[in-house]
Amino acid sequence: MADLIELVEVSASYGRIEALSGVSLKVSEGKVVALLGANGAGKSTTLNVISGIVPATKGDIRFRGKSIRRLGSDKIVGAGISQVPEGREVFRDMSVHENLLIGAQLRNDRAGIERDIEIMAGHFPVLSKRFKQMAGTMSGGEQQMLLIARALMARPKLLMLDEPSLGLSPLLVQQIFDIIVKLHREEKLTLLIVEQNAAVALAVSDYAYILENGEIAVEGRSADLAHDDSVRNAYLGT
Ligand code: ATP
């Protein structure tokens, strides 16, 4: 399968702090890739560099073989890359329906947008009963589902999720990952998932990278990493 996204020796800094040093990774079309690592390892920065929110100081980012390193965030979303950022920022004073429409703001195919809202209602039944509810009044798990649905309204080719399980109960984590796997299968969505919950992430992904201090320390097939004792002890806290 062709590479959808490829990072080649990417570095990024916040002032004098180098958050990424020479990170190379790729996500092939139709695959699920996990990006793991401790707090501060550079996982969110990697996603933000792909989204154009944090500039790369070195290296290149290629989407379908073309450099997107110097494109603005809007152009990157338009090209087919959507991100669900960490921390669950829904538009609290807007309804679920309005939040979904915001996810489609770069589109102008009204009929397609309405059809996709119906599709989201099918994927996320909990949202379908709450289209008129203010997003800020929903539970943490419901807000996380809304964020994923909102990102999907842009019809991305690559969906990047930053810690979808953060702060959720094990049951909700399972529900969210079940939906993610279903989306992957049914919509042929390519996914890059940042997770602290390595066990869950390795169970659903094809391939994984482990970041350590801004560098890729380990990479491999998820099934292999999940069973590798040295990886488990050193990085996965098991
Ligand atoms: P976490 O799971 O805690 O979010 P992470 O692996 O996603 O961790 P990053 O958020 O990418 O890590 O952070 C990588 C490094 O960059 C850390 O040392 C962090 O303190 C630093 N950093 C991140 N964002 C900023 C910022 N806006 N300003 C300054 N330093 C930052």
Side-chain angles (χ1 to χ4, degrees):
M1 275 286 191
D3 294 330
L4 195 55
I5 190 98
E6 186 180 16
L7 271 63
V8 186
E9 299 282 324
V10 168
S11 298
S13 306
Y14 300 100
R16 284 161 60 188
I17 300 170
E18 181 155 79
L20 298 180
S21 351
V23 167
S24 296
L25 62 81
K26 48 191 173 184
V27 183
S28 303
E29 196 146 12
K31 297 288 180 198
V32 181
V33 171
L35 187 56
L36 310 173
N39 279 323
K43 305 180 298 297
S44 301
T45 304
T46 304
L47 297 194
N48 288 335
V49 161
I50 297 172
S51 296
I53 296 164
V54 170
T57 50
K58 285 192 206 135
D60 202 10
I61 303 144
R62 295 181 193 137
F63 184 62
R64 297 188 149 146
K66 283 200 192 130
S67 179
I68 55 166
R69 179 179 164 189
R70 296 184 194 286
L71 293 185
S73 314
D74 271 11
K75 288 238 161 57
I76 292 173
V77 175
I81 300 177
S82 288
Q83 182 179 359
V84 179
E86 193 180 345
R88 284 207 278 284
E89 294 290 323
V90 293
F91 295 102
R92 301 181 63 83
D93 299 327
M94 291 186 181
S95 70
V96 167
H97 190 258
E98 287 165 335
N99 268 270
L100 290 174
L101 287 177
I102 285 177
Q105 65 187 344
L106 294 176
R107 294 170 57 181
N108 43 28
D109 55 324
R110 262 182 91 165
I113 291 170
E114 283 309 319
R115 196 173 56 236
D116 281 354
I117 287 183
E118 289 305 312
I119 291 174
M120 290 311 141
H123 285 308
F124 300 90
V126 71
L127 298 183
S128 68
K129 298 179 199 125
R130 298 167 184 275
F131 275 164
K132 296 209 170 87
Q133 187 173 334
M134 289 299 127
T137 63
M138 296 199 304
S139 74
E142 289 159 1
Q143 290 187 25
Q144 184 62 274
M145 293 196 203
L146 175 57
L147 284 180
I148 297 172
R150 189 175 81 195
L152 289 170
M153 287 300 297
R155 279 190 174 271
K157 298 284 175 274
L158 174 69
L159 180 67
M160 303 194 293
L161 302 172
D162 198 345
E163 307 247 7
S165 76
L166 197 71
L168 301 182
S169 69
L171 184 66
L172 270 168
V173 172
Q174 195 55 51
Q175 275 179 17
I176 286 189
F177 273 89
D178 285 349
I179 294 174
I180 292 170
V181 168
K182 190 162 167 269
L183 284 166
H184 165 63
R185 291 215 184 104
E186 292 179 7
E187 309 270 334
K188 310 247 179 304
L189 194 62
T190 304
L191 286 147
L192 178 57
I193 306 177
V194 162
E195 256 301 333
Q196 286 276 336
N197 189 335
V200 174
L202 288 177
V204 301
S205 57
D206 301 294
Y207 200 84
Y209 294 87
I210 303 179
L211 269 173
E212 196 178 42
N213 296 322
E215 295 179 33
I216 303 288
V218 178
E219 65 176 277
R221 289 177 49 223
S222 301
D224 295 340
L225 296 190
H227 295 108
D228 184 315
D229 283 341
S230 59
V231 168
R232 288 163 64 109
N233 293 334
Y235 301 104
L236 309 183
T238 49

